[in-house]
Amino acid sequence: MEDIALDAAKKTAARTAVDQWVTEDTKILGIGSGSTVVYAVQRIAERVWKEGELTDLICVPSSYQAHHLILDYNLNLGDLDRNPNIDVAIDGADEVDRHMVLIKGGGGCLLQEKVVASCAKNFIVVADYTKNSIRLGEQWCRGVPIEVAPMAYVPIKLHIEALFGGEASLRMAKVKAGPIVTDNGNFLLDWKFIANREYDWDEVNRAITMIPGVLETGLFVNMAQKCYFGMADGNVKVQNK
């Protein structure tokens, strides 16, 4: 029953965000990754194919999953080479704190997701109520994902642990033997930071990004404009920057 309630919450959040942010003035739309974004794409496709709206909308994907979602729903597929200026990007999150700092990358697409979000005039997050926290780490216990060059993962792991404590571990595949490999051919570290420690996430993000071999972190700081959380009672909670 809880899974059904979560799916309903995700769907409500996604559809609400799409209807408020994707208008006839929206020409280029960034499409994020994850389970909640599927409902956003479904709503966009409804408006295109059933309601006759948004016929010129171009969708720019942030992952292999998003690329195929766009094709599966027969929407116009774009890319950053031709469409570098995005009007709105809609994506999910693994956790959102009270300051609108996000942890993303549970699905391994953080680098492309952050690039697409950074190109958008408006970055909108959709999620269910389990992703809404006061502090990072309250709900999401798998740490901050960090995409790294494969040859550098050991020194990066040691560097992060020396700087900020906690433990960074290489994300291993479930079916494939060995580590997860991202869409970009890199490895992922999951850094489990120290619970209940006050971190300046902007500072942490900058410091980790500066370590040689780090491609990107799953900390999205000062990026999201609004977050839409589908609640258990069927309502949508909106959090502003």
Side-chain angles (χ1 to χ4, degrees), residues 10-234:
K10 291 174 183 181
K11 185 174 184 177
T12 304
R15 293 175 71 89
T16 301
V18 166
D19 286 346
Q20 289 188 10
W21 284 93
V22 184
T23 70
E24 291 296 338
D25 292 328
T26 309
K27 303 305 179 188
I28 312 296
L29 178 67
I31 301 293
S33 310
S35 56
T36 308
V37 170
V38 173
Y39 293 114
V41 174
Q42 287 175 351
R43 176 58 184 146
I44 292 160
E46 276 182 23
R47 290 176 59 186
V48 171
W49 299 114
K50 291 185 179 179
E51 299 169 21
E53 302 176 351
L54 311 174
T55 51
D56 295 326
L57 183 69
I58 295 173
C59 298
V60 176
S62 67
S63 65
Y64 183 86
Q65 178 213 19
H67 179 104
H68 281 274
L69 264 178
I70 293 164
L71 294 179
D72 287 346
Y73 284 92
N74 203 22
L75 301 172
N76 297 322
L77 178 66
D79 56 52
L80 290 177
D81 290 343
R82 291 171 293 182
N83 317 109
N85 298 310
I86 295 172
D87 296 309
V88 180
I90 297 178
D91 204 347
D94 298 310
E95 191 169 34
V96 183
D97 77 2
R98 66 186 183 278
H99 301 300
M100 296 267 284
V101 177
L102 320 177
I103 293 178
K104 289 179 51 56
C109 306
L110 58 139
L111 192 158
Q112 292 184 57
E113 288 173 343
K114 192 176 276 190
V115 171
V116 169
S118 74
C119 294
K121 297 187 188 82
N122 299 289
F123 176 41
I124 308 302
V125 174
V126 291
D128 65 75
Y129 55 92
T130 67
K131 309 301 194 298
N132 187 204
S133 296
I134 300 299
R135 299 159 58 107
L136 294 183
E138 284 182 2
Q139 311 265 11
W140 179 254
C141 301
R142 287 163 53 187
V144 175
I146 300 159
E147 187 160 344
V148 302
M151 57 86 69
Y153 85 88
V154 171
I156 293 169
K157 162 188 163 64
L158 297 175
H159 200 151
I160 292 169
E161 291 170 353
L163 281 175
F164 299 113
E167 181 181 4
S169 57
L170 184 64
R171 190 184 300 183
M172 304 304 288
K174 291 291 196 309
V175 178
K176 163 191 172 293
I180 290 281
V181 178
T182 70
D183 288 356
N184 313 297
N186 300 311
F187 286 176
L188 289 170
L189 291 175
D190 289 305
W191 171 49
K192 293 185 179 177
F193 50 89
I194 299 171
N196 300 319
R197 176 172 164 181
E198 285 293 339
Y199 287 96
D200 179 335
W201 291 116
D202 186 44
E203 177 187 326
V204 170
N205 181 54
R206 291 172 188 272
I208 294 177
T209 303
M210 291 301 294
I211 299 171
V214 170
L215 281 305
E216 196 51 85
T217 83
L219 288 167
F220 284 50
V221 185
N222 296 322
M223 295 188 72
Q225 185 166 342
K226 279 183 185 286
C227 292
Y228 290 76
F229 297 102
M231 306 305 288
D233 63 4

